[in-house]
Amino acid sequence: MNPVYSYDIHLPARMDPNKTYPTIFTLHGKGSNEKNMYGLAAPLSDEFIIVGIRGNLTLGAGFQYYELKSLGNPIRELFDQAVRQLEHFIHYATEKYPIDPAKRYLLGFSQGAILSMSLALTMGDQLKGIVALNGYVPDFVKTEYTLKSTQEVSVFISHGEYDSVFPVRIGHETAAYWEKRTPRFTFKLYPTDHGVSEENQRDVTEWLIKDAGVHLHTKE
């Protein structure tokens, strides 16, 4: 099977051929690309496999996974298709590379965060956890999708207090939704606009290390 998506894969430099690795699949924001997300996960590249998935639709000089009718209002057919195709891609990559299926994470920003949360709801404990930065769960996903239990899924959500694309109210609503769905839940606000601060990145890195139970090798 050929994947629908172009992707970048970074394997740990000193890999043990008899081992499978925790893996972070990154999902970028609208009009961006997979390389833009690598910096967020780069501090973990010795212990995790990092797979950057590029949206398959072009938008200006960048890419997207689905198109919008208006802000916060995805074209439903394209959104549904993206959720299906991303789930297939995760299984494809797991078969192709030494990925530990019990330690698969999604790390998404904006449009990528929206998809990460939607995939957590459709895949349930097939994912170990998700990091969703500045996103939301579309209402139709909550009400019309077949949702799996996320009790065992670890969820880290953050939002910019001054987010000019998705106001901070959306961050609070998203947090309230997830708080009821999993005890493994972290929510943080940062004094930023629609972006990711250094503090936010540091917190994400620490959270992923702890949640995956990995020990980072310090450089000699």
Side-chain angles (χ1 to χ4, degrees), residues 81-143:
Q81 191 176 42
V83 170
R84 271 198 314 275
Q85 288 172 342
L86 285 164
E87 190 169 337
H88 286 315
F89 179 86
I90 290 163
H91 292 304
Y92 159 83
T94 304
E95 283 172 27
K96 187 171 170 66
Y97 300 102
I99 288 170
D100 181 348
K103 289 190 178 176
R104 296 185 291 204
Y105 292 88
L106 301 181
L107 166 58
F109 173 74
S110 195
Q111 188 175 95
I114 294 164
L115 285 164
S116 296
M117 290 190 269
S118 301
L119 283 158
L121 292 165
T122 58
M123 293 179 74
D125 63 10
Q126 293 178 71
L127 297 172
K128 175 75 173 77
I130 62 163
V131 174
L133 311 170
N134 299 64
Y136 65 92
V137 183
D139 284 337
F140 63 79
V141 171
K142 295 177 188 173
T143 56

Short mmCIF file of all heavy atoms in Angstrom, two decimals, residues 81-143:
data_model
loop_
_atom_site.label_atom_id
_atom_site.label_comp_id
_atom_site.label_asym_id
_atom_site.label_seq_id
_atom_site.Cartn_x
_atom_site.Cartn_y
_atom_site.Cartn_z
N GLN A 81 -12.45 12.29 5.26
CA GLN A 81 -11.44 11.57 4.47
C GLN A 81 -10.06 11.66 5.14
O GLN A 81 -9.34 10.67 5.22
CB GLN A 81 -11.40 12.19 3.08
CG GLN A 81 -10.60 11.40 2.08
CD GLN A 81 -10.70 12.05 0.69
OE1 GLN A 81 -10.63 13.26 0.56
NE2 GLN A 81 -10.84 11.23 -0.33
N ALA A 82 -9.72 12.85 5.63
CA ALA A 82 -8.42 13.03 6.29
C ALA A 82 -8.31 12.14 7.52
O ALA A 82 -7.27 11.50 7.75
CB ALA A 82 -8.22 14.50 6.67
N VAL A 83 -9.36 12.06 8.32
CA VAL A 83 -9.33 11.21 9.53
C VAL A 83 -9.11 9.74 9.14
O VAL A 83 -8.27 9.05 9.71
CB VAL A 83 -10.63 11.39 10.36
CG1 VAL A 83 -10.73 10.35 11.47
CG2 VAL A 83 -10.67 12.80 10.96
N ARG A 84 -9.84 9.30 8.12
CA ARG A 84 -9.69 7.90 7.65
C ARG A 84 -8.27 7.64 7.14
O ARG A 84 -7.64 6.65 7.47
CB ARG A 84 -10.68 7.61 6.52
CG ARG A 84 -12.03 7.10 6.97
CD ARG A 84 -12.78 6.44 5.80
NE ARG A 84 -12.75 7.22 4.57
CZ ARG A 84 -13.60 8.20 4.28
NH1 ARG A 84 -14.53 8.57 5.15
NH2 ARG A 84 -13.53 8.84 3.12
N GLN A 85 -7.80 8.56 6.29
CA GLN A 85 -6.50 8.35 5.65
C GLN A 85 -5.35 8.44 6.65
O GLN A 85 -4.36 7.71 6.54
CB GLN A 85 -6.30 9.39 4.53
CG GLN A 85 -7.19 9.10 3.32
CD GLN A 85 -7.14 10.23 2.29
OE1 GLN A 85 -6.72 11.36 2.58
NE2 GLN A 85 -7.58 9.94 1.09
N LEU A 86 -5.47 9.30 7.64
CA LEU A 86 -4.42 9.41 8.66
C LEU A 86 -4.37 8.15 9.52
O LEU A 86 -3.29 7.67 9.87
CB LEU A 86 -4.63 10.66 9.53
CG LEU A 86 -4.25 11.97 8.84
CD1 LEU A 86 -4.84 13.16 9.59
CD2 LEU A 86 -2.73 12.12 8.70
N GLU A 87 -5.54 7.61 9.82
CA GLU A 87 -5.57 6.35 10.58
C GLU A 87 -4.88 5.24 9.78
O GLU A 87 -4.05 4.49 10.31
CB GLU A 87 -7.02 5.97 10.91
CG GLU A 87 -7.09 4.83 11.88
CD GLU A 87 -8.50 4.59 12.46
OE1 GLU A 87 -9.33 5.52 12.48
OE2 GLU A 87 -8.73 3.46 12.88
N HIS A 88 -5.18 5.16 8.50
CA HIS A 88 -4.52 4.16 7.63
C HIS A 88 -3.01 4.40 7.61
O HIS A 88 -2.22 3.45 7.66
CB HIS A 88 -5.04 4.25 6.19
CG HIS A 88 -6.42 3.69 6.01
ND1 HIS A 88 -6.82 2.48 6.56
CD2 HIS A 88 -7.51 4.15 5.34
CE1 HIS A 88 -8.09 2.25 6.25
NE2 HIS A 88 -8.52 3.24 5.51
N PHE A 89 -2.62 5.67 7.52
CA PHE A 89 -1.19 5.98 7.46
C PHE A 89 -0.47 5.52 8.73
O PHE A 89 0.64 4.98 8.66
CB PHE A 89 -0.97 7.49 7.24
CG PHE A 89 0.49 7.83 7.20
CD1 PHE A 89 1.20 7.74 6.01
CD2 PHE A 89 1.18 8.18 8.36
CE1 PHE A 89 2.57 8.01 5.98
CE2 PHE A 89 2.54 8.44 8.33
CZ PHE A 89 3.24 8.36 7.14
N ILE A 90 -1.08 5.75 9.87
CA ILE A 90 -0.46 5.34 11.15
C ILE A 90 -0.23 3.83 11.16
O ILE A 90 0.83 3.35 11.57
CB ILE A 90 -1.32 5.81 12.34
CG1 ILE A 90 -1.25 7.35 12.45
CG2 ILE A 90 -0.88 5.16 13.65
CD1 ILE A 90 -2.35 7.97 13.31
N HIS A 91 -1.20 3.07 10.67
CA HIS A 91 -1.04 1.60 10.60
C HIS A 91 0.03 1.21 9.57
O HIS A 91 0.83 0.31 9.81
CB HIS A 91 -2.38 0.93 10.29
CG HIS A 91 -3.37 1.05 11.42
ND1 HIS A 91 -3.10 0.62 12.69
CD2 HIS A 91 -4.61 1.60 11.46
CE1 HIS A 91 -4.15 0.87 13.48
NE2 HIS A 91 -5.07 1.47 12.75
N TYR A 92 0.02 1.90 8.46
CA TYR A 92 1.02 1.65 7.40
C TYR A 92 2.44 1.84 7.96
O TYR A 92 3.32 0.99 7.80
CB TYR A 92 0.76 2.60 6.22
CG TYR A 92 1.95 2.82 5.32
CD1 TYR A 92 2.26 1.91 4.30
CD2 TYR A 92 2.77 3.95 5.48
CE1 TYR A 92 3.36 2.12 3.48
CE2 TYR A 92 3.87 4.15 4.66
CZ TYR A 92 4.17 3.24 3.67
OH TYR A 92 5.26 3.44 2.87
N ALA A 93 2.66 2.98 8.62
CA ALA A 93 4.00 3.29 9.14
C ALA A 93 4.40 2.29 10.24
O ALA A 93 5.57 1.91 10.34
CB ALA A 93 4.02 4.72 9.69
N THR A 94 3.43 1.87 11.03
CA THR A 94 3.72 0.92 12.13
C THR A 94 4.20 -0.42 11.57
O THR A 94 5.06 -1.07 12.16
CB THR A 94 2.47 0.73 13.02
OG1 THR A 94 2.05 2.02 13.48
CG2 THR A 94 2.77 -0.14 14.23
N GLU A 95 3.64 -0.82 10.43
CA GLU A 95 4.08 -2.08 9.81
C GLU A 95 5.44 -1.92 9.13
O GLU A 95 6.25 -2.84 9.11
CB GLU A 95 3.05 -2.53 8.77
CG GLU A 95 1.83 -3.17 9.41
CD GLU A 95 0.73 -3.45 8.39
OE1 GLU A 95 1.05 -3.63 7.20
OE2 GLU A 95 -0.45 -3.47 8.82
N LYS A 96 5.70 -0.75 8.60
CA LYS A 96 6.91 -0.53 7.80
C LYS A 96 8.15 -0.26 8.65
O LYS A 96 9.26 -0.62 8.26
CB LYS A 96 6.65 0.63 6.84
CG LYS A 96 7.76 0.88 5.81
CD LYS A 96 7.30 1.90 4.78
CE LYS A 96 8.41 2.38 3.88
NZ LYS A 96 8.97 1.38 2.98
N TYR A 97 7.99 0.38 9.79
CA TYR A 97 9.13 0.81 10.61
C TYR A 97 9.06 0.17 12.00
O TYR A 97 7.99 -0.29 12.40
CB TYR A 97 9.13 2.34 10.73
CG TYR A 97 9.25 3.03 9.40
CD1 TYR A 97 8.13 3.61 8.78
CD2 TYR A 97 10.47 3.10 8.73
CE1 TYR A 97 8.23 4.23 7.54
CE2 TYR A 97 10.57 3.72 7.48
CZ TYR A 97 9.46 4.28 6.90
OH TYR A 97 9.56 4.88 5.67
N PRO A 98 10.18 0.19 12.75
CA PRO A 98 10.18 -0.46 14.08
C PRO A 98 9.48 0.41 15.14
O PRO A 98 10.07 0.86 16.12
CB PRO A 98 11.67 -0.64 14.39
CG PRO A 98 12.36 0.44 13.63
CD PRO A 98 11.54 0.65 12.37
N ILE A 99 8.20 0.63 14.91
CA ILE A 99 7.38 1.47 15.79
C ILE A 99 6.70 0.59 16.84
O ILE A 99 6.14 -0.46 16.50
CB ILE A 99 6.32 2.22 14.94
CG1 ILE A 99 7.01 3.32 14.11
CG2 ILE A 99 5.20 2.79 15.78
CD1 ILE A 99 6.12 3.98 13.06
N ASP A 100 6.77 1.00 18.09
CA ASP A 100 6.08 0.29 19.17
C ASP A 100 4.60 0.67 19.12
O ASP A 100 4.25 1.82 19.41
CB ASP A 100 6.70 0.69 20.51
CG ASP A 100 6.05 -0.02 21.69
OD1 ASP A 100 4.98 -0.64 21.50
OD2 ASP A 100 6.61 0.05 22.80
N PRO A 101 3.70 -0.27 18.76
CA PRO A 101 2.28 0.10 18.61
C PRO A 101 1.64 0.52 19.94
O PRO A 101 0.59 1.16 19.95
CB PRO A 101 1.62 -1.18 18.06
CG PRO A 101 2.59 -2.28 18.31
CD PRO A 101 3.95 -1.69 18.43
N ALA A 102 2.29 0.18 21.06
CA ALA A 102 1.75 0.57 22.37
C ALA A 102 2.20 1.98 22.78
O ALA A 102 1.78 2.49 23.82
CB ALA A 102 2.16 -0.44 23.43
N LYS A 103 3.08 2.58 21.96
CA LYS A 103 3.59 3.92 22.33
C LYS A 103 3.57 4.86 21.12
O LYS A 103 4.57 5.44 20.73
CB LYS A 103 4.99 3.82 22.91
CG LYS A 103 5.01 3.18 24.29
CD LYS A 103 6.35 3.29 24.96
CE LYS A 103 6.28 2.69 26.37
NZ LYS A 103 7.60 2.70 27.02
N ARG A 104 2.38 4.99 20.54
CA ARG A 104 2.22 5.91 19.40
C ARG A 104 1.58 7.20 19.89
O ARG A 104 0.54 7.17 20.56
CB ARG A 104 1.34 5.27 18.32
CG ARG A 104 1.99 4.03 17.71
CD ARG A 104 1.19 3.47 16.56
NE ARG A 104 -0.08 2.88 16.98
CZ ARG A 104 -0.73 1.95 16.30
NH1 ARG A 104 -0.23 1.49 15.15
NH2 ARG A 104 -1.88 1.47 16.72
N TYR A 105 2.21 8.31 19.52
CA TYR A 105 1.72 9.63 19.92
C TYR A 105 1.44 10.49 18.69
O TYR A 105 2.13 10.37 17.67
CB TYR A 105 2.77 10.37 20.77
CG TYR A 105 3.00 9.75 22.12
CD1 TYR A 105 3.94 8.73 22.27
CD2 TYR A 105 2.28 10.17 23.23
CE1 TYR A 105 4.14 8.14 23.51
CE2 TYR A 105 2.48 9.59 24.47
CZ TYR A 105 3.41 8.58 24.61
OH TYR A 105 3.61 7.99 25.84
N LEU A 106 0.45 11.37 18.80
CA LEU A 106 0.22 12.40 17.79
C LEU A 106 0.56 13.74 18.41
O LEU A 106 0.20 14.01 19.56
CB LEU A 106 -1.25 12.41 17.34
CG LEU A 106 -1.80 11.13 16.74
CD1 LEU A 106 -3.26 11.33 16.34
CD2 LEU A 106 -0.99 10.68 15.54
N LEU A 107 1.26 14.57 17.65
CA LEU A 107 1.61 15.92 18.08
C LEU A 107 1.14 16.87 17.00
O LEU A 107 1.69 16.88 15.89
CB LEU A 107 3.13 16.02 18.28
CG LEU A 107 3.77 17.41 18.41
CD1 LEU A 107 3.18 18.19 19.58
CD2 LEU A 107 5.27 17.31 18.57
N GLY A 108 0.08 17.64 17.29
CA GLY A 108 -0.50 18.48 16.24
C GLY A 108 -0.65 19.92 16.67
O GLY A 108 -0.92 20.22 17.84
N PHE A 109 -0.50 20.82 15.69
CA PHE A 109 -0.72 22.24 15.92
C PHE A 109 -1.86 22.74 15.04
O PHE A 109 -1.89 22.46 13.84
CB PHE A 109 0.56 23.04 15.61
CG PHE A 109 0.35 24.53 15.65
CD1 PHE A 109 0.22 25.18 16.87
CD2 PHE A 109 0.25 25.28 14.49
CE1 PHE A 109 -0.02 26.55 16.93
CE2 PHE A 109 0.02 26.65 14.52
CZ PHE A 109 -0.12 27.29 15.76
N SER A 110 -2.83 23.46 15.63
CA SER A 110 -3.93 24.10 14.92
C SER A 110 -4.72 23.05 14.12
O SER A 110 -5.33 22.18 14.72
CB SER A 110 -3.39 25.24 14.03
OG SER A 110 -4.45 26.07 13.62
N GLN A 111 -4.70 23.08 12.79
CA GLN A 111 -5.41 22.05 12.03
C GLN A 111 -4.92 20.65 12.43
O GLN A 111 -5.70 19.70 12.55
CB GLN A 111 -5.21 22.25 10.52
CG GLN A 111 -6.08 21.33 9.69
CD GLN A 111 -5.99 21.58 8.18
OE1 GLN A 111 -5.23 20.93 7.48
NE2 GLN A 111 -6.79 22.51 7.68
N GLY A 112 -3.62 20.54 12.68
CA GLY A 112 -3.05 19.26 13.14
C GLY A 112 -3.54 18.86 14.52
O GLY A 112 -3.70 17.67 14.83
N ALA A 113 -3.80 19.86 15.39
CA ALA A 113 -4.33 19.58 16.73
C ALA A 113 -5.78 19.10 16.64
O ALA A 113 -6.20 18.18 17.36
CB ALA A 113 -4.25 20.83 17.60
N ILE A 114 -6.54 19.72 15.75
CA ILE A 114 -7.95 19.33 15.54
C ILE A 114 -8.01 17.87 15.09
O ILE A 114 -8.80 17.07 15.60
CB ILE A 114 -8.59 20.27 14.48
CG1 ILE A 114 -8.67 21.70 15.04
CG2 ILE A 114 -9.96 19.77 14.05
CD1 ILE A 114 -8.93 22.78 13.99
N LEU A 115 -7.12 17.51 14.16
CA LEU A 115 -7.09 16.12 13.68
C LEU A 115 -6.56 15.17 14.74
O LEU A 115 -7.06 14.05 14.88
CB LEU A 115 -6.24 16.04 12.41
CG LEU A 115 -6.94 16.59 11.16
CD1 LEU A 115 -5.92 16.84 10.05
CD2 LEU A 115 -8.04 15.64 10.68
N SER A 116 -5.57 15.59 15.53
CA SER A 116 -5.03 14.73 16.59
C SER A 116 -6.13 14.36 17.59
O SER A 116 -6.26 13.21 18.00
CB SER A 116 -3.88 15.42 17.32
OG SER A 116 -2.80 15.64 16.46
N MET A 117 -6.91 15.36 17.98
CA MET A 117 -7.99 15.10 18.94
C MET A 117 -9.08 14.22 18.32
O MET A 117 -9.60 13.31 18.97
CB MET A 117 -8.56 16.42 19.46
CG MET A 117 -7.59 17.15 20.36
SD MET A 117 -8.30 18.57 21.23
CE MET A 117 -7.96 19.90 20.08
N SER A 118 -9.40 14.47 17.06
CA SER A 118 -10.42 13.66 16.38
C SER A 118 -9.95 12.20 16.25
O SER A 118 -10.73 11.26 16.46
CB SER A 118 -10.74 14.25 15.00
OG SER A 118 -11.20 15.58 15.14
N LEU A 119 -8.67 12.02 15.94
CA LEU A 119 -8.12 10.65 15.82
C LEU A 119 -8.07 9.95 17.17
O LEU A 119 -8.31 8.74 17.25
CB LEU A 119 -6.73 10.70 15.19
CG LEU A 119 -6.75 10.92 13.67
CD1 LEU A 119 -5.42 11.48 13.18
CD2 LEU A 119 -7.07 9.61 12.94
N ALA A 120 -7.79 10.69 18.24
CA ALA A 120 -7.82 10.06 19.57
C ALA A 120 -9.22 9.53 19.86
O ALA A 120 -9.39 8.45 20.43
CB ALA A 120 -7.41 11.07 20.64
N LEU A 121 -10.24 10.26 19.41
CA LEU A 121 -11.62 9.84 19.66
C LEU A 121 -12.04 8.66 18.77
O LEU A 121 -12.86 7.85 19.18
CB LEU A 121 -12.57 11.02 19.43
CG LEU A 121 -12.45 12.15 20.46
CD1 LEU A 121 -13.15 13.41 19.98
CD2 LEU A 121 -13.00 11.73 21.82
N THR A 122 -11.46 8.55 17.58
CA THR A 122 -11.85 7.44 16.69
C THR A 122 -10.96 6.22 16.88
O THR A 122 -11.37 5.10 16.62
CB THR A 122 -11.81 7.86 15.20
OG1 THR A 122 -10.50 8.30 14.87
CG2 THR A 122 -12.81 8.96 14.90
N MET A 123 -9.72 6.41 17.35
CA MET A 123 -8.79 5.28 17.51
C MET A 123 -8.69 4.80 18.96
O MET A 123 -8.22 3.70 19.22
CB MET A 123 -7.39 5.68 17.01
CG MET A 123 -7.32 5.93 15.52
SD MET A 123 -5.65 6.41 14.97
CE MET A 123 -4.76 4.85 15.07
N GLY A 124 -9.10 5.64 19.91
CA GLY A 124 -9.06 5.23 21.31
C GLY A 124 -7.66 4.79 21.73
O GLY A 124 -6.67 5.44 21.39
N ASP A 125 -7.60 3.65 22.44
CA ASP A 125 -6.30 3.24 23.01
C ASP A 125 -5.34 2.61 21.99
O ASP A 125 -4.31 2.07 22.37
CB ASP A 125 -6.50 2.34 24.23
CG ASP A 125 -7.20 1.04 23.89
OD1 ASP A 125 -7.37 0.74 22.69
OD2 ASP A 125 -7.58 0.31 24.83
N GLN A 126 -5.66 2.72 20.70
CA GLN A 126 -4.64 2.40 19.69
C GLN A 126 -3.54 3.47 19.72
O GLN A 126 -2.45 3.27 19.19
CB GLN A 126 -5.24 2.36 18.30
CG GLN A 126 -6.22 1.20 18.09
CD GLN A 126 -6.81 1.28 16.68
OE1 GLN A 126 -6.13 1.02 15.69
NE2 GLN A 126 -8.06 1.67 16.58
N LEU A 127 -3.86 4.61 20.33
CA LEU A 127 -2.86 5.67 20.54
C LEU A 127 -2.52 5.71 22.02
O LEU A 127 -3.40 5.56 22.87
CB LEU A 127 -3.41 7.03 20.12
CG LEU A 127 -3.77 7.19 18.64
CD1 LEU A 127 -4.48 8.52 18.42
CD2 LEU A 127 -2.52 7.10 17.76
N LYS A 128 -1.23 5.92 22.32
CA LYS A 128 -0.84 6.07 23.73
C LYS A 128 -1.19 7.46 24.22
O LYS A 128 -1.56 7.66 25.37
CB LYS A 128 0.68 5.83 23.85
CG LYS A 128 1.25 6.08 25.25
CD LYS A 128 0.87 4.95 26.19
CE LYS A 128 1.56 5.10 27.56
NZ LYS A 128 0.96 6.10 28.43
N GLY A 129 -1.04 8.45 23.32
CA GLY A 129 -1.35 9.81 23.76
C GLY A 129 -1.32 10.80 22.61
O GLY A 129 -0.89 10.48 21.50
N ILE A 130 -1.82 12.00 22.91
CA ILE A 130 -1.79 13.08 21.92
C ILE A 130 -1.36 14.38 22.61
O ILE A 130 -1.60 14.58 23.79
CB ILE A 130 -3.16 13.31 21.24
CG1 ILE A 130 -4.24 13.72 22.27
CG2 ILE A 130 -3.59 12.10 20.43
CD1 ILE A 130 -5.48 14.35 21.65
N VAL A 131 -0.72 15.22 21.81
CA VAL A 131 -0.42 16.60 22.21
C VAL A 131 -1.14 17.49 21.20
O VAL A 131 -0.87 17.41 19.99
CB VAL A 131 1.10 16.88 22.18
CG1 VAL A 131 1.37 18.35 22.46
CG2 VAL A 131 1.83 15.99 23.18
N ALA A 132 -2.09 18.29 21.69
CA ALA A 132 -2.88 19.14 20.79
C ALA A 132 -2.65 20.60 21.17
O ALA A 132 -3.04 21.04 22.26
CB ALA A 132 -4.36 18.78 20.89
N LEU A 133 -2.00 21.34 20.28
CA LEU A 133 -1.62 22.73 20.54
C LEU A 133 -2.54 23.66 19.76
O LEU A 133 -2.56 23.63 18.53
CB LEU A 133 -0.16 22.95 20.11
CG LEU A 133 0.86 21.91 20.62
CD1 LEU A 133 2.21 22.09 19.92
CD2 LEU A 133 1.02 21.99 22.12
N ASN A 134 -3.33 24.46 20.47
CA ASN A 134 -4.18 25.48 19.84
C ASN A 134 -5.15 24.89 18.83
O ASN A 134 -5.12 25.22 17.65
CB ASN A 134 -3.32 26.57 19.15
CG ASN A 134 -2.42 27.30 20.14
OD1 ASN A 134 -1.53 26.70 20.73
ND2 ASN A 134 -2.66 28.58 20.33
N GLY A 135 -6.02 24.00 19.31
CA GLY A 135 -7.03 23.41 18.42
C GLY A 135 -8.36 23.26 19.14
O GLY A 135 -8.59 23.87 20.19
N TYR A 136 -9.25 22.46 18.57
CA TYR A 136 -10.57 22.20 19.16
C TYR A 136 -11.10 20.90 18.56
O TYR A 136 -10.54 20.38 17.59
CB TYR A 136 -11.54 23.36 18.89
CG TYR A 136 -11.86 23.53 17.42
CD1 TYR A 136 -12.97 22.91 16.84
CD2 TYR A 136 -11.03 24.29 16.57
CE1 TYR A 136 -13.24 23.03 15.49
CE2 TYR A 136 -11.29 24.41 15.23
CZ TYR A 136 -12.40 23.79 14.69
OH TYR A 136 -12.66 23.90 13.35
N VAL A 137 -12.18 20.38 19.14
CA VAL A 137 -12.85 19.21 18.55
C VAL A 137 -14.11 19.70 17.84
O VAL A 137 -14.98 20.29 18.47
CB VAL A 137 -13.25 18.18 19.64
CG1 VAL A 137 -13.87 16.94 18.99
CG2 VAL A 137 -12.06 17.79 20.50
N PRO A 138 -14.22 19.46 16.52
CA PRO A 138 -15.43 19.91 15.81
C PRO A 138 -16.68 19.27 16.41
O PRO A 138 -16.66 18.12 16.83
CB PRO A 138 -15.21 19.41 14.37
CG PRO A 138 -13.72 19.25 14.24
CD PRO A 138 -13.24 18.84 15.61
N ASP A 139 -17.78 20.03 16.44
CA ASP A 139 -19.03 19.52 17.03
C ASP A 139 -19.49 18.25 16.34
O ASP A 139 -19.98 17.33 16.99
CB ASP A 139 -20.13 20.60 16.94
CG ASP A 139 -19.92 21.69 17.99
OD1 ASP A 139 -19.24 21.40 19.01
OD2 ASP A 139 -20.40 22.82 17.79
N PHE A 140 -19.35 18.18 15.01
CA PHE A 140 -19.85 16.98 14.31
C PHE A 140 -19.05 15.73 14.69
O PHE A 140 -19.57 14.62 14.64
CB PHE A 140 -19.91 17.18 12.78
CG PHE A 140 -18.58 17.42 12.12
CD1 PHE A 140 -17.71 16.37 11.85
CD2 PHE A 140 -18.20 18.71 11.74
CE1 PHE A 140 -16.49 16.59 11.21
CE2 PHE A 140 -16.99 18.94 11.10
CZ PHE A 140 -16.12 17.89 10.85
N VAL A 141 -17.79 15.92 15.09
CA VAL A 141 -17.01 14.77 15.55
C VAL A 141 -17.61 14.28 16.88
O VAL A 141 -17.82 13.08 17.08
CB VAL A 141 -15.51 15.14 15.72
CG1 VAL A 141 -14.75 14.00 16.42
CG2 VAL A 141 -14.88 15.45 14.37
N LYS A 142 -17.92 15.21 17.78
CA LYS A 142 -18.47 14.85 19.08
C LYS A 142 -19.82 14.15 18.95
O LYS A 142 -20.14 13.24 19.71
CB LYS A 142 -18.66 16.10 19.96
CG LYS A 142 -17.37 16.82 20.34
CD LYS A 142 -17.73 18.08 21.13
CE LYS A 142 -16.51 18.94 21.37
NZ LYS A 142 -16.85 20.24 21.97
N THR A 143 -20.63 14.60 17.99
CA THR A 143 -22.02 14.12 17.95
C THR A 143 -22.28 13.04 16.90
O THR A 143 -23.20 12.25 17.05
CB THR A 143 -22.99 15.29 17.69
OG1 THR A 143 -22.59 15.95 16.47
CG2 THR A 143 -22.95 16.30 18.83
#
